[in-house]
């Protein structure tokens, strides 16, 4: 028999250990990452235990206005985080238990379930897809990301190879940094580019990224690209999740575009990470729950050798 336990701060160490040892969890599901913005959400996460062993965790928050449980609004993906010993029937039990619990104790009408994409799994972990199907789950959003297989890269297309040659000829300097000044400088470039080109600001603040980088120094890394005159022209954060390296907040200045800085930086990252990691994931190029595809953006990513991985979200009625 499984026991369902609502998450409490007292369970933090157990939760984090379970995520670390799971077959599909990443550091984004560690409470030290999740809880940096805990004041924005009403947490309703769950743990599933058999005797003294955690077989599953479910990161979630509740939105009272819509009577909806989300897994999790502050995260790119969520869903059940599963122990190696957790079988398909156990996942079915977990799904039934959580639906009944949220309906009875939270008055929930729906669960919005964000699947963890397979490229982040350490071992096959799609039992929850089947459990969602069995409970009549409806696909409500599908984002398409662009991912390079670092072990068998397709390579750049013709236009990107041309830009790569420009980057090589520009003698650009790419390096990892933990400097607070470099964080601030890059954040200024990022915010300027997003504001001027898209009229938006980064979701995180510079202070939040510095905090998370200190907490997860091995998993969160900032790379900077400068010219020989020391002009900052490009950069990105990397989130290292199991066998996948995910780019976060990758940006390039107008001058960097002309110099091929982004193409050169991606080539640098492929070379640096392909020995020890399987995938380089650029993130989704969709909006409006996947109904709008930014064709120019995905074209640029595909030109670097990436191909499609889906980020799926389901609605399950309680």
């Amino acid at each position: 028999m499984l026991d369902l336990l609502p998450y409490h701060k007292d369970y933090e160490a157990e939760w984090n250990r379970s995520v670390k040892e799971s077959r599909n969890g990443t550091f984004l599901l560690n409470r030290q990452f999740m809880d940096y913005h805990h004041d924005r959400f009403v947490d309703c996460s769950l743990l599933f235990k058999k005797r003294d062993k955690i077989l599953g965790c479910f990161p979630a928050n509740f939105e009272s206005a819509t009577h909806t449980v989300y897994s999790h609004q502050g995260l790119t993906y969520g869903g059940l985080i599963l122990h190696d010993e957790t079988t398909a029937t156990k996942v079915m039990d977990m799904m039934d238990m959580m639906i009944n619990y949220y309906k009875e104790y939270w008055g929930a009408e729906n669960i919005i379930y964000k699947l963890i994409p397979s490229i982040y799994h350490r071992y096959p972990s799609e039992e929850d897809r089947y459990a969602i199907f069995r409970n009549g789950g409806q696909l409500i959003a599908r984002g398409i990301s662009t991912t390079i297989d670092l072990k068998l890269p397709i390579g750049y297309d013709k236009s990107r190879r041309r830009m790569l040659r420009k980057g090589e000829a520009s003698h650009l300097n790419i390096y990892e940094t933990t400097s607070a000044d470099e964080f601030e400088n890059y954040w200024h470039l990022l915010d300027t580019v997003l504001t001027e080109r898209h009229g938006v600001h980064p979701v995180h603040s510079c202070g939040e990224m510095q905090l998370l980088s200190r907490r997860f120094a091995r998993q969160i890394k900032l790379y900077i690209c400068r010219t020989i005159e020391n002009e900052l022209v490009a950069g990105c954060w990397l989130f290292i999740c199991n066998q996948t390296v995910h780019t976060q907040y990758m940006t390039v200045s107008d001058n960097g575009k002309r110099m091929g800085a982004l193409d050169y930086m991606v080539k640098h990252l492929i070379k640096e990470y392909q020995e020890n990691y399987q995938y380089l994931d650029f993130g989704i190029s969709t909006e409006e729950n996947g109904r709008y595809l930014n064709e120019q953006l995905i074209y640029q990513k595909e030109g670097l050798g990436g191909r499609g991985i889906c980020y799926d979200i389901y609605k399950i009625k309680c």
Side-chain angles (χ1 to χ4, degrees):
M1 293 292 293
L2 288 172
D3 292 319
L4 179 152
L5 300 174
Y7 176 77
H8 186 274
K9 183 71 173 175
D10 292 346
Y11 295 132
E12 180 176 354
E14 280 188 276
W15 176 288
N16 291 342
R17 184 168 59 253
S18 179
V19 169
K20 184 177 182 180
E21 295 173 355
S22 72
R23 50 191 161 103
N24 63 338
T26 72
F27 79 92
L28 274 71
L29 303 165
N30 182 296
R31 300 306 304 200
Q32 287 290 302
F33 188 96
M34 287 179 58
D35 291 345
Y36 82 90
H37 53 14
H38 66 90
D39 55 312
R40 304 177 198 173
F41 305 100
V42 178
D43 192 273
C44 62
S45 302
L46 300 175
L47 300 95
F48 297 91
K49 273 191 169 184
K50 183 177 181 181
R51 300 184 182 92
D52 294 327
K53 181 177 291 184
I54 297 177
L55 294 185
C57 300
F58 186 65
N61 70 278
F62 185 68
E63 187 179 76
S64 58
T66 59
H67 306 284
T68 300
V69 172
Y70 288 87
S71 73
H72 177 295
Q73 282 179 295
L75 299 172
T76 305
Y77 45 77
L80 283 163
I81 309 163
L82 302 174
H83 189 276
D84 285 351
E85 295 181 14
T86 309
T87 60
T89 54
K90 286 290 188 291
V91 174
M92 290 286 293
D93 291 341
M94 290 176 188
M95 190 70 70
D96 291 341
M97 292 170 72
M98 80 164 66
I99 290 171
N100 292 331
Y101 169 78
Y102 287 132
K103 181 178 181 179
E104 182 174 351
Y105 290 97
W106 287 84
E109 297 175 0
N110 297 293
I111 299 172
I112 304 301
Y113 192 107
K114 298 179 181 179
L115 287 167
I116 302 172
S118 61
I119 57 172
Y120 297 104
H121 298 180
R122 277 191 287 259
Y123 203 78
S125 299
E126 295 192 351
E127 292 86 353
D128 57 346
R129 286 180 180 265
Y130 179 69
I132 290 168
F133 164 73
R134 284 287 298 272
N135 282 277
Q138 176 188 2
L139 180 67
I140 60 169
R142 171 168 283 168
I144 186 166
S145 182
T146 310
T147 305
I148 293 174
D149 186 333
L150 293 172
K151 302 301 183 185
L152 296 167
I154 292 174
Y156 285 20
D157 68 12
K158 184 177 180 180
S159 63
R160 304 262 58 93
R161 287 197 298 271
R162 184 170 61 251
M163 296 307 295
L164 175 61
R165 288 193 291 271
K166 286 187 177 182
E168 292 169 340
S170 299
H171 304 291
L172 298 168
N173 182 26
I174 298 171
Y175 56 93
E176 180 189 349
T177 181
T178 58
S179 162
D181 288 342
E182 290 277 43
F183 271 57
E184 294 284 352
N185 292 336
Y186 183 65
W187 203 259
H188 177 70
L189 171 64
L190 173 67
D191 190 57
T192 299
V193 169
L194 288 177
T195 302
E196 292 180 352
R197 296 179 189 169
H198 308 289
V200 298
H201 297 282
V203 174
H204 299 87
S205 68
C206 183
E208 287 172 339
M209 289 301 296
Q210 288 175 315
L211 171 66
L212 293 171
S213 295
R214 288 193 298 270
R215 288 183 178 179
F216 299 96
R218 293 183 178 182
Q219 290 88 15
I220 299 178
K221 300 179 183 293
L222 175 61
Y223 280 78
I224 292 294
C225 178
R226 290 185 179 275
T227 66
I228 54 176
E229 292 84 14
N230 207 37
E231 178 189 354
L232 175 59
V233 291
C236 73
W237 266 278
L238 298 183
F239 282 12
I240 299 174
C241 306
N242 302 332
Q243 74 273 21
T244 297
V245 179
H246 175 77
T247 63
Q248 188 81 12
Y249 293 131
M250 178 179 282
T251 198
V252 60
S253 69
D254 290 339
N255 191 34
K257 275 187 174 182
R258 290 188 288 269
M259 300 173 75
L262 204 59
D263 306 83
Y264 187 69
M265 185 171 66
V266 170
K267 192 71 174 180
H268 175 92
L269 295 176
I270 291 173
K271 184 177 180 180
E272 182 157 339
Y273 285 94
Q274 67 183 164
E275 180 177 351
N276 296 317
Y277 295 88
Q278 182 71 43
Y279 300 110
L280 177 63
D281 182 41
F282 293 115
I284 65 171
S285 301
T286 49
E287 301 171 26
E288 300 174 9
N289 289 330
R291 290 170 178 81
Y292 171 76
L293 175 64
N294 187 328
E295 295 186 10
Q296 181 179 3
L297 179 60
I298 200 168
Y299 172 77
Q300 293 171 351
K301 296 173 182 178
E302 289 172 339
L304 299 168
R307 293 299 182 264
I309 289 289
C310 286
Y311 283 57
D312 288 350
I313 302 176
Y314 285 83
K315 178 192 284 187
I316 306 165
K317 291 188 178 296
C318 294

